[in-house]
Amino acid sequence: MSGSVPGQVNPPSRLLMGPGPITADPRVLRAMSAPLVGQFDPWMTATMTEVMGLYREVFKTANEQTFLVDGTSRAGIEAALVSLIEPGDRVLVPVFGRFGHLLVEIAERCGAEVHTVEAPWGEVVEPEVVEHAVRRVRPKVLAVVQGDTSTTMCQPLADLGEICRAHDVLFYCDATASLGGNVFETDLWGLDVATAGLQKCLAGPSGSSPITISDKAAAVINARKHVEAGIRADDDIDHGARIASNYLDLAQVMDYWGPRRLNHHTEATTMLYGARECARLLVEEGMDGAVARHELHGRAMLEGVRGLGLGVFGDVAHKMHNVVAVEIPESLGAEGGDKARAAMLDDFGIEIGTSFGPLHGKVWRIGTMGFNARKDTVLVTLAALEQVLRGCGVPLTAGGGVGAAREVYAS
Ligand SMILES: *Cc1c(COP(=O)(O)O)cnc(C)c1O
C-alpha cells in the first residue's frame, strides 16, 4: 500500500518576512537534528544548566530561575500567570493591541479580577496612566506586553518597573515579539517574570518558551507548592490556592530544572537543542549587537516602504525595530491587500503578514527579525513589493524602495 503513503515532507522555499514565525537560522535547524540523550544523563543535565546560563545573558538577568517552558510562547505566558495568580487576585493589564487582550483572557481564566488601561492601537500606554491605575486598583500583578506585533508598538518598561517597585506589585512581561531585537533589561527594569518564544528575533522555530523569574516571584510561586513528586505536602502549612495547572506549574518546573532535578515532564530535547543554539547565536553576537542589527535593518525597511511612497501605521517613535505596519493603498480596494500578499508569495516566495481586529484590511505587517534581519532580505522584499504593487496598478516611485533602503545602508 506504499502508493497511498504521502511523500516525505518537502516544503516550498519561502522567505518569511511577516511578523513571525520567521525563517529559522540553519544553525538552529542543524542543532535540532542532533541525537537524543536521556534527560537524567549527566551530559543532558549539564546541557540544561548551560541553557539556563545562556538565557540569563539573553534576558540580562542574574535570576537563578531562568529556563525553558516547553510549548510555544503562549505556554510561557500561561505558566507565568497561572503560577502567580490565585483566584480573586487583582491583575492590571495595559492593553495596546491584540496580545494585551490575550493577557486579560488568560488572567481571567486564572480567576483574577482583571483591570485594564487601554491605549488606541498604534500608541503605547503612558506611565502616568499606569501609575494612576496601580494606585486605584492595588493589583498583585502588572502584566504587560513589551512589543505587540498586532500594532508594532513597543511599550517602554523602565518607568513601569519603578512604579511596581514603589507599590509592591509583581511585574510580568510578554517579550515574545521584542526580545533580541529591542533593548530588554530584566534586572535593570525590575521585572519579576518575563517570557518569550523562539520564532521572532531569536531566529528559531516556535515550540519553546524561555522564561526568567526573580527570587521574589519564585518565592511567591513556591509558597503555593502543593504537590512534590506526586505526594501532597504538609497540610498545616498555608499554601494558598493550588496552582490550577500541572504541566505549567512553575513550582514543579523550577524543581525539575533546579539542582534536585525532580521528575516532571519529559524534556523536549530537540527544542532544547534549538533554543540553546538560538541563545548561542545571540550571545556570540552580543545582545547590544543584535539590537543594533534589528534597528538598522528595521530602519532600512521603514525608509524603503516610505521611499515607495507608502504610508506607515502608528506612532513610529515607539515602533519595535523588527516589524513595520504598512498602510495598504486605498486604490487596491477591499480585497486588494490579500491579492498583493498572495502575489508576493506566488511570484517571489516571500511571505508578508496580514492584520487583525481594527487593522484588518488596512495594513500589511513586514518583519525584519532573527535570521531575516539582513540587507539582502530587506532589499529583495522591497523590490518584490514594488513589482507586485505596480502590477496591481498602484502608482509608486520607481526604485524608490530599494534606493531609500540602500541610502540607509550607505550612511
Ligand atoms: C508572536 C507573539 C506571541 C506568540 O505566541 P505563540 O504561542 O508562540 O503563538 C505571543 N506574544 C506576543 C506579544 C507575540 O508577538
Side-chain angles (χ1 to χ4, degrees), residues 11 40 43 45 60 63 85 124 251-252 260 276 284 295 301 321 411:
F40 297 110
W43 182 86
T45 50
K60 295 210 177 166
N63 288 340
I85 300 171
V124 295
Q252 291 193 58
R260 292 197 293 165
R276 179 178 181 277
E284 267 177 16
E295 192 280 327
M301 184 63 86
H321 294 144
S411 67

Side-chain angles (χ1 to χ4, degrees), residues 278-326:
C278 290
R280 259 167 45 79
L281 282 161
L282 284 175
V283 172
E284 267 177 16
E285 182 178 17
M287 294 311 291
D288 295 346
V291 171
R293 172 168 54 87
H294 283 90
E295 192 280 327
L296 173 66
H297 299 296
R299 185 155 44 89
M301 184 63 86
L302 172 70
E303 292 308 327
V305 163
R306 285 173 162 165
L308 282 170
L310 299 171
V312 170
F313 170 80
D315 168 14
V316 170
H318 286 109
K319 191 181 86 53
M320 273 189 281
H321 294 144
N322 46 299
V323 57
V324 59
V326 182

Side-chain angles (χ1 to χ4, degrees), residues 24-258:
D25 191 303
R27 260 179 61 175
V28 176
L29 297 179
R30 279 200 294 276
M32 293 178 73
S33 64
L36 302 187
V37 170
Q39 74 193 72
F40 297 110
D41 187 305
W43 182 86
M44 185 64 183
T45 50
T47 301
M48 289 171 73
T49 303
E50 252 171 30
V51 167
M52 296 173 90
L54 284 164
Y55 275 94
R56 282 186 200 109
E57 297 200 43
V58 171
F59 279 114
K60 295 210 177 166
T61 183
N63 288 340
E64 174 62 25
Q65 301 299 345
T66 303
F67 49 87
L68 306 173
V69 173
D70 290 341
T72 67
S73 325
R74 200 174 289 232
I77 301 170
E78 285 214 23
L81 295 182
V82 79
S83 301
L84 286 173
I85 300 171
E86 296 189 32
D89 282 343
R90 285 185 301 278
V91 174
L92 179 64
V93 183
V95 176
F96 55 98
R98 180 174 186 242
F99 286 101
H101 290 295
L102 177 66
L103 298 184
V104 170
E105 206 264 345
I106 295 173
E108 279 174 350
R109 284 182 191 239
C110 298
E113 179 190 314
V114 182
H115 298 255
T116 60
V117 285
E118 305 207 15
W121 282 41
E123 295 175 25
V124 295
V125 181
E126 292 298 328
E128 297 74 35
V129 173
V130 176
E131 178 157 34
H132 187 256
V134 164
R135 285 179 189 278
R136 180 170 49 83
V137 173
R138 305 222 142 267
K140 173 179 174 184
V141 178
L142 176 72
V144 61
V145 174
Q146 184 188 28
D148 204 308
T149 36
S150 64
T151 69
T152 76
M153 291 297 106
C154 190
Q155 173 68 41
L157 298 176
D159 291 342
L160 304 193
E162 293 228 339
I163 295 165
C164 286
R165 260 170 292 178
H167 297 272
D168 199 25
V169 174
L170 291 164
F171 188 15
Y172 164 74
C173 179
D174 172 10
T176 304
S178 45
L179 185 68
N182 304 266
V183 174
F184 191 82
E185 294 279 355
T186 301
D187 290 358
L188 201 64
W189 294 344
L191 284 148
D192 288 296
V193 183
T195 62
L198 305 186
Q199 76 268 32
K200 309 270 168 86
C201 302
L202 270 61
S206 65
S208 180
S209 181
I211 187 170
T212 187
I213 306 168
S214 71
D215 290 350
K216 182 177 156 195
V220 168
I221 294 165
N222 279 327
R224 300 180 64 192
K225 196 185 287 187
H226 276 256
V227 178
E228 198 169 275
I231 302 158
R232 249 182 176 297
D234 238 352
D235 276 340
D236 8 299
I237 307 171
D238 175 17
H239 293 287
R242 179 170 169 166
I243 292 173
S245 169
N246 173 301
Y247 192 66
L248 301 174
D249 176 346
L250 287 176
Q252 291 193 58
V253 182
M254 285 191 280
D255 279 341
Y256 167 74
W257 281 81

Side-chain angles (χ1 to χ4, degrees), residues 325-340:
V326 182
E327 288 171 357
I328 299 173
E330 285 199 9
S331 62
L332 274 182
E335 253 103 73
D338 286 340
K339 266 201 206 139

